[in-house]
Amino acid sequence: MVYIVDKTIDDIQKIIEWLTSKHWWPFKNIEHEKLAVRELFSMDKITVLLIENNGRKVVVPLAISYEKPVITDYLRINDKYIFEAEYLRNYWEEVGRICNIKQYVKIRGRTSNVHLLTRESTHLIVAHELNTGDSIVIKGYRHISPISIEEKYYETILRSGYKYAPKPFVSINYQGIPIGIIIEYIDNVGDATTPFRKAFEEKIGKSSLKLGLAAKLGSQIAGLHLALNNTSNDFSGKDRISQEDIRGWGNRIQRRYKDALRLLEKLVDNADGKRKTIRYEKWLNHLDLLGQNVEQAISYLEAYIDSYKIRTHQDLHLLQILYGHDENFYFIDFEGEPGRTRDELLEKEPPLRDIAVMIRSFQYLSYELYMSKHKLTHIATSGRLLRNDPLWNWRMRHSLSMLLSYLSASINADLHGIPREIILTRYNSLLYPWLVDRGLYEIIYEATYNPDKIPIPLIGLVNPSIPINT
Ligand SMILES: Nc1ncnc2c1ncn2[C@@H]1O[C@H](COP(=O)(O)OP(=O)(O)O)[C@@H](O)[C@H]1O
Ligand SMILES: [Mg+2]
């Protein structure tokens, strides 16, 4: 078997250099000598590398072939072509010779064409058009997460017969390491921001609202929650919330608040230039002033005692949903909230947490719409919106419409374990802890990857779309 052409260090270096240009490459500022590269397994046409640095692991299946691949993104070494193996025709058959393949639905047909679906992902996501006319999506996992739960979600969704998520075909793993999942291709016009954005950009005044569509989204989320919980086992189903759960969530919110403050302090300390220092100090000050709100949010968790926690999506924002040509929403990406530990990923939570995440997502969208409408930079946008958000009404009405429609569908299905009158009159304070929990998560995320966007969640925390009862 050929291992990376001639198995010389030179070749490995060439391959690593080529991999650094990939959108999913996580080791951007790390010297190549510090990467531990080893072969996970090797077979006829495929060699799978495991690349590691500081506990972070990435799996890279490489195809090594004499035949020119169908895509242009390849590396040529001597007379061989090297490319990411998910682009191989009938990849599932090749990789299935050595990997463990769990089949849910049989893939009918053979690859006739392959293309990359997105450069935004931390994985490799490619579509294979089949000779039957259907398309399938291969999500080739690059980052190894603490636990692979996506296949469990898809299994559950398939079993329930829920229509608004892709059908899974196979999941692939090697000795317990998830290598990929193959799912149905959803024919879409874009992610779920698309119809809302379009209405906002094309119309003025009242018709920029898509309240009916937000309501549809709410009822489809209820459908997703029901599908994920219509049987009871260690993964799905309703469980009663204990005092310990409430303490755990409270601790998480507190921890996130401290982490967010610490990250902002670090940004202030390391800022280059006075303008940046002043900017970060201002944001830190806003966050600092929210201490009491955070305590209040934690105290509201008490209302959940003895109600239900269920299997939720955890990261249910508008970019994790596709808007189909048939004008339905389709839910994807069931890897849980990024950055969570194994136990946190497995945790069940109150269904309203997903709704809070969606409300946060409408605020992200409103910020972006404002920014592009007025052709502003992030700094100018956040400067204005932190003082006053003219799109508050837009995001509040979409959020409320989605929420009420979600509630009417989910209350009837007994998904909350909270009396109807309480949930309908106190949804504000029930949602508040989760709006804060997610808002703080977003601050931490943006502070780590994109500090200019810190004000987006900050605006949401200062001025929530669903204000609390006073
Ligand atoms: N089943 C699918 N049908 C069509 N497009 C998909 C499908 N799954 C993923 N995609 C495309 O790939 C993108 C990223 O997929 P996702 O599962 O969210 O990966 P990530 O974990 O990187 O967020 C989606 O936003 C979408 O554009
Ligand atoms: Mg995603």
Side-chain angles (χ1 to χ4, degrees), residues 133-149:
D134 292 333
S135 286
I136 57 175
V137 172
I138 302 183
K139 184 167 180 178
Y141 294 128
R142 289 293 178 266
H143 297 252
I144 304 185
S145 81
I147 179 181
S148 158
I149 48 172

Side-chain angles (χ1 to χ4, degrees), residues 139 315 317 319-320 332-333:
K139 184 167 180 178
D315 197 30
H317 56 84
L319 304 179
Q320 305 279 46
I332 56 166
D333 198 354

Side-chain angles (χ1 to χ4, degrees), residues 41 49 56 62 84 139-140 192 202 210 286 357 437 459:
F41 64 89
L49 300 182
R56 193 190 278 195
L62 292 174
E84 290 171 275
K139 184 167 180 178
E202 283 176 1
K210 275 267 179 195
H286 271 291
V357 175
D437 180 48
I459 291 159

Side-chain angles (χ1 to χ4, degrees), residues 134-383:
D134 292 333
S135 286
I136 57 175
V137 172
I138 302 183
K139 184 167 180 178
Y141 294 128
R142 289 293 178 266
H143 297 252
I144 304 185
S145 81
I147 179 181
S148 158
I149 48 172
E150 196 163 37
E151 64 173 44
K152 274 188 175 290
Y153 275 97
Y154 276 116
E155 272 170 41
T156 310
I157 286 168
L158 180 70
R159 212 178 315 124
S160 72
Y162 185 62
K163 283 195 301 199
Y164 302 114
K167 221 177 349 174
F169 291 102
V170 298
S171 66
I172 307 160
N173 76 74
Y174 178 76
Q175 296 183 347
I177 299 176
I179 304 291
I181 190 159
I182 305 188
I183 55 179
E184 176 189 13
Y185 175 80
I186 302 294
D187 202 8
N188 66 86
V189 296
D191 60 55
T193 62
T194 312
F196 297 106
R197 186 192 306 274
K198 203 162 159 246
F200 183 88
E201 283 167 357
E202 283 176 1
K203 314 256 176 65
I204 41 162
K206 267 202 167 145
S207 52
S208 71
L209 295 166
K210 275 267 179 195
L211 300 184
L213 198 64
K216 182 171 186 173
L217 176 60
S219 71
Q220 286 193 234
I221 297 174
L224 174 71
H225 280 168
L226 291 172
L228 287 174
N229 294 283
N230 76 356
T231 48
S232 235
N233 52 43
D234 56 348
F235 183 73
S236 9
K238 302 183 281 198
D239 291 331
R240 293 267 176 207
I241 291 171
S242 67
Q243 204 62 58
E244 203 187 326
D245 291 323
I246 287 174
R247 218 174 307 121
W249 295 324
N251 289 341
R252 183 172 81 201
I253 296 177
Q254 230 144 22
R255 194 181 64 233
R256 286 182 168 178
Y257 185 52
K258 281 197 196 122
D259 287 349
L261 283 170
R262 214 180 29 235
L263 281 167
L264 267 167
E265 280 160 11
K266 216 165 106 190
L267 282 171
V268 172
D269 290 346
N270 299 338
D272 57 350
K274 201 162 171 203
R275 276 164 69 180
K276 274 200 175 164
T277 312
I278 293 172
R279 192 180 303 151
Y280 294 143
E281 270 174 350
K282 189 175 132 198
W283 300 344
L284 176 60
N285 191 36
H286 271 291
L287 189 62
D288 218 15
L289 288 173
L290 289 169
Q292 267 194 350
N293 301 52
V294 171
E295 285 311 312
Q296 192 178 18
I298 293 171
S299 73
Y300 286 171
L301 283 170
E302 288 297 332
Y304 282 97
I305 191 75
D306 288 337
S307 70
Y308 297 138
K309 56 178 180 177
I310 62 163
R311 179 61 49 201
T312 57
H313 182 289
Q314 287 188 6
D315 197 30
L316 192 66
H317 56 84
L318 291 160
L319 304 179
Q320 305 279 46
I321 303 172
L322 298 172
Y323 190 56
H325 275 293
D326 61 358
E327 301 187 352
N328 281 302
F329 294 101
Y330 288 84
F331 301 94
I332 56 166
D333 198 354
F334 296 96
E335 292 181 87
E337 195 173 54
R340 286 196 182 200
T341 61
R342 183 179 187 281
D343 286 350
E344 289 169 334
L345 285 169
L346 282 171
E347 224 182 319
K348 290 179 180 175
E349 288 173 341
L352 282 178
R353 189 181 183 278
D354 271 354
I355 298 300
V357 175
M358 188 51 70
I359 291 171
R360 294 285 320 113
S361 185
F362 273 114
Q363 188 248 319
Y364 258 80
L365 178 59
S366 71
Y367 173 101
E368 214 196 281
L369 292 175
Y370 184 88
M371 183 164 112
S372 66
K373 180 179 169 187
H374 297 281
K375 300 193 172 58
L376 296 172
T377 60
H378 275 296
I379 301 307
T381 310
S382 59

